[in-house]
Amino acid sequence: MQDLRFLHELDRSIISVIKDYAHPNNFPEFVNILKELELIEKGIDKGYPDAGINNSELSNMINNQNNIRINLNEKLTSYDSKSDKENLFVEIKKLINNYINNYNSIREYLKNNAIIDAKKDTI
């Protein structure tokens, strides 16, 4: 069973790591990626409900986010030592886009379930 607090920590971790890399003294090309993560950064302040997840589909989405985070951290770690930064940057950008797409799917899923739960309570 997953916990939504874990997902919240994943989102905070992604933002934090990209902010570190987007510092002008490090890799200014990451500033644009950080802009793409603004939606997630705004969502961090709202957080997630403090609830466990019994749904395997949602649990799989969260596991997928964690896998993307791990892969992203590996790519970022090797970014400054690679000579072919252009291709690695493209890979990093794809990972960020996948993370954002999954984030949107998870938010939509949570929103839809809240609506479903509300309908059940009123019947």
Side-chain angles (χ1 to χ4, degrees), residues 2 9 25 37 43 64-65 71 82 84-85 95 97-98:
Q2 288 287 358
E9 290 302 316
N25 293 337
L37 292 170
N64 191 29
Q65 290 295 74
N71 197 0
K82 290 281 186 178
D84 188 12
K85 290 184 180 189
L95 287 171
N97 287 336
N98 287 340

Side-chain angles (χ1 to χ4, degrees), residues 58 61 101-115:
L58 186 55
M61 284 192 262
N101 289 336
N102 289 341
Y103 173 86
N104 290 334
S105 297
I106 290 169
R107 280 294 198 185
E108 187 67 25
Y109 186 90
L110 292 172
K111 184 177 104 179
N112 289 341
N113 278 345
I115 291 169

Side-chain angles (χ1 to χ4, degrees), residues 28-45:
E29 59 269 24
F30 283 95
V31 171
N32 289 334
I33 288 179
L34 188 59
K35 287 178 185 174
E36 294 175 21
L37 292 170
E38 284 178 353
L39 175 68
I40 294 174
E41 188 171 24
K42 289 176 185 175
I44 288 173
D45 295 335

Side-chain angles (χ1 to χ4, degrees), residues 29-30 33 71-72 74-76 78-97:
E29 59 269 24
F30 283 95
I33 288 179
N71 197 0
L72 180 63
E74 290 171 0
K75 299 240 184 266
L76 288 171
S78 66
Y79 185 77
D80 58 349
S81 63
K82 290 281 186 178
S83 59
D84 188 12
K85 290 184 180 189
E86 191 172 318
N87 286 332
L88 189 55
F89 185 77
V90 169
E91 291 177 34
I92 290 169
K93 195 157 172 59
K94 278 185 197 176
L95 287 171
I96 293 294
N97 287 336

Side-chain angles (χ1 to χ4, degrees), residues 12-23 26-27 30-35 37 72-73 76 92 96:
R12 286 174 37 161
S13 173
I14 289 288
I15 297 295
S16 175
V17 167
I18 295 298
K19 275 187 173 183
D20 286 345
Y21 275 83
H23 189 277
N26 294 333
F27 307 107
F30 283 95
V31 171
N32 289 334
I33 288 179
L34 188 59
K35 287 178 185 174
L37 292 170
L72 180 63
N73 284 343
L76 288 171
I92 290 169
I96 293 294

